[in-house]
């Protein structure tokens, strides 16, 4: 998908446009909402990114990447407790999802819950 390449080239607005076009063609294409959310996060528009991740999760409640990406956006907004909840949901869906453990450890560390953070890092 061209949108992925555009995002990797830092052409986020073009990527957002491509994802939006894909969503217009197929409003249930959860991957496009997730990708558009990533581009919006890269532009530091975390609230808009969260809205896209919410839509991806609404369409596919088992899509772990959307929970993790939403957690990242929430962490960037310094809402670490909400981020932990998203990472935990991703882990509940896929207990081997290493990135979610690592990022949850980061969020716990930001809350100064160092022992819990160590446990997540160890699991990761």
């Amino acid at each position: 998908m061209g949108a992925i390449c555009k995002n990797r080239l830092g052409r986020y607005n073009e990527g957002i446009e491509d994802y939006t076009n894909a969503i217009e063609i197929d409003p249930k294409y959860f991957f496009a909402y997730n990708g558009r959310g990533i581009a919006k996060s890269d532009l530091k528009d975390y609230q808009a990114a969260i809205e896209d991740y919410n839509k991806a999760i609404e369409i596919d409640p088992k899509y772990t990447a959307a929970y993790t990406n939403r957690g990242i956006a929430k962490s960037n907004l310094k809402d670490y407790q909400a981020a932990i909840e998203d990472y935990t949901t991703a882990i509940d869906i896929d207990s081997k999802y290493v990135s979610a453990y690592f990022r949850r450890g980061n969020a716990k560390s930001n809350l100064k819950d160092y022992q819990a953070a160590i446990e997540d890092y160890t699991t990761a």
Side-chain angles (χ1 to χ4, degrees), residues 41-68:
S41 279
D42 288 337
L43 290 170
K44 300 188 184 338
D45 189 356
Y46 303 119
Q47 213 45 59
I50 288 169
E51 291 172 19
D52 277 340
Y53 300 135
N54 289 344
K55 187 65 177 174
I57 290 165
E58 176 186 319
I59 295 167
D60 184 356
K62 299 285 186 193
Y63 187 45
T64 55
Y67 289 101
T68 301

Side-chain angles (χ1 to χ4, degrees), residues 1-3 11 25 44 67-68 89-90 92-93 116 119-120 123:
M1 182 176 224
R11 294 165 38 192
I25 293 167
K44 300 188 184 338
Y67 289 101
T68 301
T89 300
D92 289 343
I93 295 167
E119 291 170 15
D120 278 344
T123 302

Side-chain angles (χ1 to χ4, degrees), residues 105-106 108-109 113-124:
N106 288 345
K108 289 177 178 179
S109 180
D113 188 355
Y114 300 119
Q115 188 57 45
I118 290 168
E119 291 170 15
D120 278 344
Y121 292 141
T122 301
T123 302

Side-chain angles (χ1 to χ4, degrees), residues 56-116:
I57 290 165
E58 176 186 319
I59 295 167
D60 184 356
K62 299 285 186 193
Y63 187 45
T64 55
Y67 289 101
T68 301
N69 291 334
R70 188 172 69 178
I72 293 167
K74 289 176 180 178
S75 284
N76 284 322
L77 293 171
K78 302 205 183 316
D79 188 355
Y80 301 118
Q81 191 58 49
I84 288 168
E85 292 170 15
D86 278 339
Y87 302 137
T88 300
T89 300
I91 291 165
D92 289 343
I93 295 167
D94 180 359
S95 64
K96 297 182 188 292
Y97 195 17
V98 173
S99 177
Y101 283 104
F102 178 77
R103 293 184 182 284
R104 188 172 72 176
N106 288 345
K108 289 177 178 179
S109 180
N110 284 320
L111 292 174
K112 301 191 183 332
D113 188 355
Y114 300 119
Q115 188 57 45

